[in-house]
C-alpha cells in the first residue's frame, strides 16, 4: 500500500477566454474618433456639393440672362438682371456688399477682379458703368445705350474669377 504522497491536487485551472463584448476602452475611443471624422467628412462633402451647385446655378443664370437679351435686346432689362445677379453673388461672398450702391458698388466689383484687370476699372470706367444708370433710364433714351456684349463678357469674367477664387478658399 502506498500511502498518499500529499493532498489530492487538481490540474491547472485556466481563466475563461475574454469575451468580445464589451470592448476595451481604447476601442470605444477609436470608434468615437472614427465617428467624429466621418461626421466632419460628410459635412465637408455636403458643403462642397452645395457650393458646387450654387456656382452652377450662378453660371446658368448668367447664360439665361444672355439668352433672354439675345431674344429681346432690351438693354434696360439686361442691366437690371445682371445687376441683380452680381448683387446676389457678391452678397454670398461678402455680406456687406448688399448695402453698397453707386460708386462704392462699382469699386467693390472692380476690387474683386484680378489685379491686372482691376487696374483698368472696367466697372467704374468701362462697360460696367451701365449697371448704375441704365436700369433707371427710359428705354428710348439714347444715353441708356448699353454695350451688351461687353457688359455680359465683363460679368462673365468677374463671375469666373470670383467663383474660381471662392473654390480656392473652400
Amino acid at each position: 500500500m502506498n500511502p498518499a504522497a500529499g493532498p489530492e491536487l487538481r490540474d491547472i485551472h485556466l481563466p475563461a477566454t475574454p469575451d468580445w463584448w464589451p470592448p476595451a476602452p481604447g476601442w470605444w475611443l477609436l470608434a468615437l474618433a472614427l465617428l467624429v471624422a466621418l461626421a466632419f467628412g460628410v459635412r465637408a462633402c455636403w458643403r462642397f456639393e452645395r457650393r458646387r451647385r450654387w456656382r452652377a446655378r450662378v453660371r446658368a443664370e448668367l447664360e439665361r440672362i444672355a439668352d433672354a437679351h439675345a431674344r429681346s435686346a432690351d438693354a434696360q432689362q439686361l442691366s437690371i438682371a445682371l445687376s441683380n445677379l452680381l448683387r446676389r453673388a457678391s452678397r454670398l461672398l461678402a455680406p456687406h456688399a448688399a448695402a453698397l450702391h453707386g460708386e462704392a458698388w462699382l469699386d467693390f466689383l472692380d476690387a474683386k477682379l484680378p489685379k491686372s484687370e482691376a487696374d483698368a476699372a472696367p466697372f467704374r470706367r468701362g462697360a460696367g458703368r451701365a449697371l448704375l444708370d441704365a436700369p433707371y433710364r427710359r428705354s428710348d433714351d439714347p444715353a441708356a445705350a448699353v454695350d451688351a456684349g461687353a457688359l455680359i463678357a465683363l460679368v462673365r469674367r468677374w463671375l469666373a474669377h470670383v467663383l474660381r477664387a471662392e473654390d480656392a478658399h473652400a
Side-chain angles (χ1 to χ4, degrees), residues 91-153:
R91 187 177 57 225
L92 292 173
L93 300 171
H96 73 281
L100 297 175
H101 61 281
E103 299 296 327
W105 168 239
L106 296 180
D107 289 340
F108 171 81
L109 293 172
D110 281 333
K112 293 292 182 181
L113 285 169
K115 182 72 173 142
S116 61
E117 196 172 347
D119 292 339
F123 281 100
R124 188 183 251 289
R125 294 189 213 121
R129 187 121 190 110
L131 296 175
L132 279 189
D133 52 6
Y136 306 106
R137 294 188 183 267
R138 291 191 332 256
S139 329
D140 58 349
D141 186 356
V146 173
D147 184 358
L151 183 58
I152 291 171

Side-chain angles (χ1 to χ4, degrees), residues 8 17 33 44 48 51 58 60 63 74 111 115 138 152:
E8 278 291 309
T17 58
F48 175 79
R51 284 187 180 130
V58 168
E63 295 311 315
D74 185 359
K115 182 72 173 142
R138 291 191 332 256
I152 291 171

Side-chain angles (χ1 to χ4, degrees), residues 9-61:
L9 295 176
R10 288 190 247 162
D11 200 11
I12 297 174
H13 179 69
L14 296 174
T17 58
D19 288 334
W20 66 275
W21 194 262
W27 289 110
W28 285 109
L29 291 175
L30 179 64
L32 180 64
L34 288 174
L35 284 175
V36 168
L38 181 67
F40 276 112
V42 166
R43 183 172 183 250
C45 288
W46 180 75
R47 292 179 73 196
F48 175 79
E49 181 61 21
R50 188 177 63 176
R51 284 187 180 130
R52 187 195 63 75
R53 279 185 280 135
W54 174 75
R55 289 187 300 270
R57 280 195 312 264
V58 168
R59 288 181 182 113
E61 177 73 11

